Structure formats: structure tokens, C-alpha cells
Amino acid sequence: VVAAFEPKLLQGRRVLITAGPTYEAIDPVRGITNRSSGKMGFALARACADAGAEVCLVAGPVHLPTPLGVQRVDVLSAQDMHAAVMARAADCSVFIATAAVADWRPAQAHEQKLKKNAEAGQAKLPQLELAENPDILAQVARLPAAPFCVGFAAESHDLLKHAREKLVRKQVPLIVANIGPATFGQDDNALLLVDARGQRELSRADKLSLARELVRDIALRLDQP
Ligand code: CTP
Ligand code: CA
């Protein structure tokens, strides 16, 4: 209902968004994941669509309805998310990475369920060997025709220092930092926008209001020469 009144700041733009956690299989019944709810990414997808953008939302395993007018691609693992994003990123003018991508995956997913008593009489615990997942945001930012890239950062300490470090390491023009305490799953949030020139706070509000503010901010940056 509100959408009709939103200014069409992203009319004619294609926006790609990642959201939610990823799930890294250990065996057919177990895996590594995290508590990301996907709410911020879904709110952003809705806000971008309301602003007139053509939105593709690459979502990890979450239980959220697809915002109206948004194309949704469901993925499980970081590698699947990486493939889905790389296939689409070059055609977009904006890439917003809200997903809590698992940094590591089991080096090998077991084809069969691991059994506790595999070796009878042996009290040996299974050892998980990990491999690093691709950094989706950093790779998109390094594409020859990279879209305008926005990263998110959730930190437990030294928020500004880590956000600045990510800005440089990932070579993105904007990092949006969640102002703690841990906001996973909550409906509201406060954000710190960090770029090469400085930082600006978006005060605590519900995620859709914050998403609309962030869309206005991004649209202004796109229009700058
Ligand atoms: N990101 C990504 N692919 C990854 C890891 C992170 O696209 N494999 C993106 C996230 O979606 C987010 C940003 O990079 O937009 C920052 O993620 P974060 O986990 O805070 O950064 P890391 O580089 O993984 O560093 P660390 O977890 O050690 O803080
Ligand atoms: Ca990480």
C-alpha cells in the first residue's frame, strides 16, 4: 500500500541482494549455519522494489515471504550463493551483500550420515576439517564492470575499526555496520554507514524504515559523478 507513495529513486536500475545465512553440509543430516534471520536483506529487497528497481534476491535458508515484485533465487551453501551471484552481478548497477555467508565449510561433506559407533569400542571423536568459502562481495567488487557494492558488517567489538578495515580489504565504497548488541532476528536495528570520507548513523528503527533510508542514501551515491 505504502509502495505507491515511494519516490522511484531506483527506476530502471537492476539490484542484486544476498540475504540470510548459508548452510554448509557435514553429512546428509547435519550442517554448519548461523542465526541470521534474513530480515534486513528482505526489507532491502522490498524497499528497492518499491523504489522502482528490478530486484533479484539470492536467499539462504530462511522462512520469510518473498516481497512483491522481487525475483527470488533460493540457495543453501556459500558456494551455491557465490555461483548464483556471479552469474548475475555484471548485469546489475547495485549489489547489496547482507548475507551472513559461512566463512568456512567442511572440506568434504560425508555422503552418509556419520555414526557415533562407527568403530565399536573406539571413543574417537570425529574431526572436522574446514575449507574457506569464497568472499562473494570482494569478488563482485573486483569485476571489471562491478556494480556499486554495499557490504554489511556485524561485529562484536571495535565496530568502526572493523568496518573501515572491510571497506579497504573488500574494495567497496560503502559498508553498513550493525550497531550492537547482536541484532540477528530482531525487527529493529541501528546502522552506521561508513565510507572513505566518514560515517553517518541511522538511528534505531524498524528494518523496513532503515531499508528505505538506505535506499535513499544509495540512490544519491549512484547519481554522483
Ligand atoms: N561476505 C561475502 N562472502 C563471504 C563473507 C562475507 O559476500 N564469504 C560479505 C557479507 O555479506 C558482508 C560482508 O562481506 O556484506 C562482510 O562480512 P563479514 O562476515 O562481516 O566479513 P568477513 O570478511 O567474513 O570477516 P569476519 O567474518 O572475519 O569479520
Ligand atoms: Ca564472515
Side-chain angles (χ1 to χ4, degrees):
V1 189
V2 183
F5 302 105
E6 286 301 309
K8 301 290 179 238
L9 297 171
L10 294 178
Q11 192 70 56
R13 307 272 194 185
R14 204 171 282 164
V15 178
L16 182 62
I17 301 173
T18 62
T22 64
Y23 176 89
E24 313 297 326
I26 294 172
D27 71 13
V29 296
R30 306 181 179 91
I32 302 172
T33 188
N34 61 68
R35 295 178 56 208
S36 168
S37 69
K39 283 178 184 170
M40 194 64 220
F42 275 63
L44 267 165
R46 177 173 167 186
C48 288
D50 288 351
E54 192 182 307
V55 182
C56 178
L57 176 60
V58 178
V62 293
H63 297 281
L64 291 172
T66 309
L68 206 67
V70 168
Q71 185 208 348
R72 174 173 179 172
V73 178
D74 285 311
V75 295
L76 266 185
S77 69
Q79 287 179 302
D80 294 344
M81 183 175 277
H82 176 253
V85 166
M86 297 317 285
R88 293 168 175 85
D91 290 336
C92 295
S93 37
V94 181
F95 175 55
I96 311 176
T98 72
V101 183
D103 291 317
W104 307 283
R105 65 178 180 276
Q108 279 139 356
H110 292 265
E111 270 174 42
Q112 296 183 333
K113 182 184 167 186
L114 293 172
K115 297 298 289 176
K116 218 169 22 178
N117 298 320
E119 288 157 83
Q122 272 193 299
K124 220 178 140 214
L125 295 172
Q127 304 291 310
L128 265 190
E129 197 193 323
L130 298 177
E132 192 168 323
N133 277 323
D135 190 321
I136 302 168
L137 176 60
Q139 284 193 26
V140 171
R142 282 168 176 77
L143 287 174
F148 183 87
C149 288
V150 182
F152 269 69
E155 309 288 347
S156 59
H157 59 285
D158 293 332
L159 182 70
L160 189 58
K161 175 176 163 270
H162 286 128
R164 291 226 159 275
E165 183 262 328
K166 275 170 195 169
L167 199 67
V168 174
R169 176 160 52 87
K170 298 186 188 244
Q171 291 179 29
V172 296
L174 180 62
I175 289 280
V176 180
N178 288 296
I179 297 174
T183 47
F184 277 7
Q186 271 167 241
D187 286 318
D188 68 345
N189 203 355
L191 300 176
L192 189 66
L193 276 49
V194 182
D195 67 13
R197 292 196 292 186
Q199 61 265 356
R200 176 165 87 91
E201 192 176 325
L202 303 185
S203 54
R204 190 158 291 277
D206 65 279
K207 287 183 175 174
L208 185 58
S209 305
L210 287 171
R212 295 205 198 284
E213 270 195 72
L214 192 54
V215 163
R216 281 191 283 275
D217 187 280
I218 291 170
L220 283 173
R221 290 170 193 268
L222 293 178
D223 291 336
Q224 275 160 18

